[in-house]
């Protein structure tokens, strides 16, 4: 399979502090790639470099190349990049002043879509894709904030999917959820890879093992090892990886 | 070894910071609270209730002092538009209520967009080094005494309005009745502009607080959908903060309705209802300030005090109305939940 996203020697800073260094990594098309590592290893920073969200933080900067289907995203307008590469965050962040419907339609409306039929269709499809439709189909006018935590996170996934991105980035999407809500989202991630390239950052090694084809392990801002998930967990090449997955630190 | 020591130390510090969780032998010894707590509670309760008492007292005393006028004119006071201090004595409030409403509306019309612009710049766009000094400067505007605004209004703003602004507005919009007549520079239009300047610090400071209270994850949500900076501000920030912004506007309106000195000095002080903003006018506050010392008849004094009561009621109505509106806006925002 081809690499949908490829980072070439990506380094990122917060002010003078270097968070990640020289990361070169491929993310395959229509597959789930996981990035694991202990807190502060730079995995969230890396994923935020993939859709130019890193630079929205004051004094943050990035060096290196991120190629989306061969095209450097740092040569494209950030707004275009983020429409092609959607993102879901650690804490579910629906717009609380908008209804469920408006939340999902928000991205399309930003793109200038005004046609009610097309909006309706997109909202329906996105909510179905996010496995939320059955739970909310009778309450689309309710506030997005009225849902449970797990539903809110799936709403955010639906909102990200509604603009039909090529890639979906997920930054610890289950960190704030209970096991049942987590299981639902993991099932969902599994389904999504049919249509999307998914990159997921996770704290939870079992989660990476369950959903991802490929896993990358990061430590202190460096990429330590990357490989097929099973191989990485069963026969890690690096001692650091082995120490981490066997629970000696992290 | 080292780590454990630090952990224990931190535990001890935490305990000292939470007096109710103090355990024996840690932190300062506790004397049973026999006097301090009740005294503090009594004092807080007293001052809190005192505010309510003060409001009641003001209303009662104003009503008593206005009794003569209320008895003599009844509802006619609120519908009359004549103020005749020589026999036959007739007093009516309409021109002043009208002037107050018109100037306050103008103040909001000019003041709100500018204030929101300032608030958005300060919270969303400003480079960090400019943020704090600029915030201070805006707040400094609120510290300028209103009589100084009045003087500036007479000697600087008034002439500019008469020579440069009003004729231009008239050239463009002269077909509208509100911009007809002879622009003189001391009129409702100028008073509205002065008021707008005076309420800008209030509205922008409070709106800025509301915008700063919007969590960053809301901005990130919009940005990650491919929103531009302005779209992010509109979709994620302004919408989220709309209740706070609305509160800020009402606070500003409250100030505009009651402002006395600067308006008295710029509105031209003519007791008449006229459609044109280029005509002189009068607000409740400016009329009271202008006539309080000259009121010779006790009935006129009583009528002026009733006018004060009307002003107070107007502020009250605005506030209650604002709260109701706010409730409706918020409920709609939360859907049927």
């Amino acid at each position: 399979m081809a690499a949908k996203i490829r980072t070439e020697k990506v380094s990122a800073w917060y002010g003078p502090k270097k968070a990640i260094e020289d990361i070169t990594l491929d993310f395959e098309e229509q597959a789930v790639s996981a990035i694991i590592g202990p807190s502060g290893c730079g995995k969230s920073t890396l994923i935020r470099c993939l859709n130019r969200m890193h630079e929205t933080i004051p004094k943050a900067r990035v060096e290196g190349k991120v190629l989306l289907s061969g095209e450097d995203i740092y040569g494209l307008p950030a707004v275009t990049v983020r429409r092609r590469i959607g993102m879901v965050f650690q804490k579910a962040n629906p717009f609380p002043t908008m209804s469920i419907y408006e939340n999902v339609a928000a991205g399309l409306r930003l793109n200038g879509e005004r046609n009610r039929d097309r909006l309706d269709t997109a909202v329906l499809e996105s909510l179905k894709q996010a496995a939320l439709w059955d739970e909310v189909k009778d309450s689309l006018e309710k506030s997005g904030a009225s849902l449970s935590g797990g539903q809110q996170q799936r709403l955010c996934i639906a909102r990200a999917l509604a603009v039909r991105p090529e890639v979906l980035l997920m930054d610890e999407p289950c960190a704030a959820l209970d096991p049942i809500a987590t299981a639902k989202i993991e099932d969902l991630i599994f389904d999504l890879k049919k249509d999307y390239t998914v990159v997921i950052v996770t704290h939870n090694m079992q989660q990476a093992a369950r959903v991802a084809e490929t896993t990358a392990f990061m430590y202190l801002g460096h990429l330590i090892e990357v490989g097929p998930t099973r191989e990485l967990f069963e026969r890690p090449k690096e001692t650091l990886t082995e120490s981490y997955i066997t629970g000696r630190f992290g | 070894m080292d780590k454990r020591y630090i952990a224990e130390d931190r535990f001890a510090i935490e305990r000292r910071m939470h007096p109710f969780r103090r355990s024996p032998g840690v932190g300062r010894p506790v004397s049973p609270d026999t006097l301090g707590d009740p005294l503090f509670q009594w004092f807080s309760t007293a001052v809190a209730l005192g505010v309510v008492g003060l409001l009641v007292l003001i209303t009662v005393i104003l009503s008593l002092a206005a009794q003569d006028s209320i008895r003599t004119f009844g509802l006619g006071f609120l519908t009359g538009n004549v103020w005749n201090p020589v026999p036959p004595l007739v007093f009516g409030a309409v021109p002043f209520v009208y002037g107050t409403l018109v100037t306050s509306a103008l103040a909001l019309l000019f003041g709100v967009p500018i204030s929101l612009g300032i608030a958005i710049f300060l919270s969303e766009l400003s480079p960090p080094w400019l943020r704090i000094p600029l915030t201070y400067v805006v707040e400094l505007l609120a510290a300028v005494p209103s009589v100084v605004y009045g003087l500036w209004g007479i000697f600087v703003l008034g002439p500019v309005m008469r020579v440069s602004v009003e004729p231009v507005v008239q050239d463009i919009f002269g077909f509208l009745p509100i911009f007809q007549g002879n622009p003189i520079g001391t009129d409702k239009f100028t008073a509205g502009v002065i008021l707008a300047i005076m309420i800008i610090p209030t509205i922008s400071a409070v709106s800025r607080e509301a915008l700063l209270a919007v969590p960053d994850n809301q901005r990130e949500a919009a940005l990650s959908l491919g929103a531009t900076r302005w779209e992010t501000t509109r979709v994620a920030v302004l919408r989220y903060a709309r209740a706070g912004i609305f509160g800020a506007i009402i606070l500003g309106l409250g100030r505009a309705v009651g402002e006395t000195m600067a308006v008295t000095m710029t509105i031209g002080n003519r007791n008449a209802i006229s459609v044109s903003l280029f005509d002189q006018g009068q607000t409740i506050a400016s009329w009271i300030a202008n006539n309080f010392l000259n009121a010779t008849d006790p009935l006129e004094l009583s009528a002026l005090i009733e006018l004060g009561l009307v002003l107070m009621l107007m502020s009250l109505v605005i506030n209650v109305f604002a709260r109701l509106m706010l409730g409706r806006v918020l409920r709609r925002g939360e859907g049927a939940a």
Side-chain angles (χ1 to χ4, degrees):
Chain A
M1 273 191 278
K4 180 69 181 172
I5 298 191
R6 179 188 176 82
T7 68
E8 279 178 7
K9 287 185 160 295
V10 168
S11 302
W13 289 260
Y14 294 96
K17 192 177 158 292
K18 201 168 192 172
I20 54 173
E21 190 167 357
D22 283 349
I23 308 281
T24 299
L25 193 52
D26 284 355
F27 299 96
E28 281 176 3
E29 189 155 12
Q30 292 186 341
V32 180
S33 308
I35 307 170
I36 61 169
S39 298
C41 71
K43 56 192 191 298
S44 284
T45 307
L46 175 62
I47 201 175
R48 291 172 65 92
C49 289
L50 302 184
N51 69 338
R52 302 192 55 172
M53 283 299 285
H54 176 69
E55 68 202 48
T56 63
I57 295 165
K59 292 187 180 161
R61 94 197 143 82
V62 185
E63 267 178 22
K65 277 186 183 168
V66 177
L67 305 173
L68 172 66
S69 309
E71 197 176 4
D72 188 3
I73 63 168
Y74 286 89
L76 297 169
V79 169
T80 314
V81 170
R82 295 186 198 125
R83 282 179 189 178
R84 291 174 64 184
I85 307 178
M87 189 167 203
V88 175
F89 299 86
Q90 184 170 345
K91 195 168 170 289
N93 54 358
F95 299 121
T97 58
M98 293 186 194
S99 68
I100 292 170
Y101 182 99
E102 288 177 314
N103 260 285
V104 181
L108 288 169
R109 288 208 167 124
L110 284 172
N111 278 323
E113 183 63 78
R114 291 286 172 275
N115 182 304
R116 187 78 198 185
D117 285 342
R118 278 202 288 272
L119 284 174
D120 284 349
T121 314
V123 168
L124 172 86
E125 276 175 14
S126 308
L127 283 170
K128 276 188 172 162
Q129 267 188 324
L132 188 61
W133 174 252
D134 290 333
E135 292 158 64
V136 301
K137 63 181 175 217
D138 300 319
S139 52
L140 290 176
E141 76 294 341
K142 276 196 190 176
S143 162
S146 68
L147 299 173
S148 74
Q151 289 174 323
Q152 287 192 17
Q153 193 60 292
R154 278 179 283 149
L155 178 61
C156 292
I157 294 173
R159 182 178 63 190
L161 294 178
V163 291
R164 300 282 157 237
E166 297 159 47
V167 181
L168 186 64
L169 308 177
M170 306 179 103
D171 185 2
E172 302 205 34
C174 305
L177 302 180
D178 63 67
I180 295 170
T182 301
K184 278 192 182 158
I185 296 206
E186 286 179 6
D187 286 347
L188 170 61
I189 293 170
F190 202 81
D191 290 339
L192 287 177
K193 72 178 173 196
K194 281 190 252 113
D195 305 310
Y196 300 94
T197 302
V198 179
V199 180
I200 179 171
V201 158
T202 177
H203 215 81
N204 178 332
M205 283 179 276
Q206 285 77 24
Q207 184 166 63
R210 283 190 298 262
V211 302
E213 275 84 26
T214 313
T215 298
F217 171 62
M218 286 181 70
Y219 185 63
L220 296 179
H222 292 270
L223 175 67
I224 305 298
E225 185 171 350
V226 57
T229 302
R230 208 174 163 135
E231 225 165 85
L232 187 111
F233 279 105
E234 286 175 4
R235 291 183 301 280
K237 292 187 192 75
E238 304 288 330
T239 40
L240 262 172
T241 317
E242 191 185 349
S243 311
Y244 182 68
I245 60 178
T246 53
R248 249 170 278 166
F249 70 90
Chain B
M1 218 33 213
D2 225 355
K3 248 185 190 161
R4 228 184 110 195
Y5 170 76
I6 291 167
E8 271 172 12
D9 198 40
R10 193 183 274 162
F11 178 70
I13 291 169
E14 242 166 56
R15 283 295 159 121
R16 250 177 251 133
M17 283 163 61
H18 297 287
F20 298 117
R21 275 197 251 145
R22 224 175 259 152
S23 55
V26 183
R28 186 166 53 83
V30 199
S31 63
D33 261 336
T34 48
L35 193 63
D37 239 17
L39 202 70
F40 175 67
Q41 197 179 351
W42 179 86
F43 174 76
S44 292
T45 314
V47 290
L49 292 180
V51 172
V52 180
L54 197 64
L55 188 68
V56 173
L57 208 65
I58 290 173
T59 315
V60 168
I61 289 178
L62 279 182
S63 307
L64 284 176
Q67 223 177 7
D68 270 359
S69 163
I70 295 171
R71 283 222 186 95
T72 315
F73 305 110
L75 277 179
F77 186 77
L78 296 175
T79 54
N81 52 14
V82 183
W83 193 275
N84 197 1
V86 288
L89 296 169
V90 180
F91 302 114
V94 175
F96 319 120
V97 173
Y98 173 78
T100 304
L101 292 177
V102 169
T103 50
S104 299
L106 278 178
L108 289 187
L109 191 70
F110 301 135
V112 168
I114 295 172
S115 304
L116 288 187
I118 292 171
I120 290 170
F121 181 78
L122 287 176
S123 103
E124 307 298 315
L125 305 173
S126 166
W129 59 268
L130 191 61
R131 199 161 285 174
I132 291 170
L134 206 60
T135 306
Y136 281 148
V137 171
V138 173
E139 278 166 12
L140 218 61
L141 271 180
V144 176
S146 61
V147 66
V148 174
Y149 276 114
L151 283 171
W152 182 78
I154 291 176
F155 293 112
V156 182
L157 183 67
V160 170
M161 295 294 281
R162 183 180 65 237
V163 176
S164 315
V165 180
E166 292 181 350
V168 173
V169 172
Q170 200 165 40
D171 279 350
I172 304 168
F173 299 108
F175 59 92
L176 293 170
I178 51 169
F179 295 124
Q180 282 166 5
N182 190 17
I184 40 179
T186 48
D187 48 32
K188 294 194 281 282
F189 198 69
T190 306
V193 172
I194 278 277
L195 280 176
I197 297 169
M198 294 178 75
I199 64 176
I200 282 171
T202 312
I203 301 181
S204 55
V206 180
S207 301
R208 178 182 148 271
E209 295 294 326
L211 298 185
L212 286 177
V214 177
D216 269 340
N217 73 24
Q218 291 290 313
R219 296 180 180 89
E220 290 196 328
L223 284 172
S224 73
L225 290 171
T228 61
R229 222 168 188 183
W230 160 242
E231 287 166 341
T232 302
T233 305
R234 184 169 55 84
V235 171
V237 182
L238 288 179
R239 252 187 104 128
Y240 191 99
R242 60 189 175 184
I245 292 170
F246 193 70
I249 293 172
I250 294 303
L251 221 60
L253 178 60
R255 177 155 194 212
V257 166
E259 173 51 41
T260 310
M261 207 56 221
V263 174
T264 310
M265 292 164 84
T266 50
I267 199 168
N269 299 312
R270 197 161 65 91
N271 173 14
I273 299 176
S274 62
V275 176
S276 175
L277 299 177
F278 295 159
D279 279 341
Q280 294 142 307
Q282 201 65 273
T283 67
I284 296 177
S286 71
W287 187 253
I288 295 175
N290 271 321
N291 290 279
F292 198 70
L293 287 176
N294 309 329
T296 42
D297 195 285
L299 189 60
E300 188 184 3
L301 199 61
S302 178
L304 283 172
I305 291 169
E306 190 180 353
L307 213 49
L309 203 61
V310 170
L311 181 58
M312 221 175 105
L313 283 175
M314 261 175 75
S315 303
L316 201 73
V317 168
I318 288 170
N319 270 293
V320 170
F321 177 72
R323 254 171 219 291
L324 289 177
M325 285 274 293
L326 195 61
R328 263 189 52 197
V329 168
L330 288 182
R331 266 199 303 282
R332 199 182 308 141
E334 281 152 19

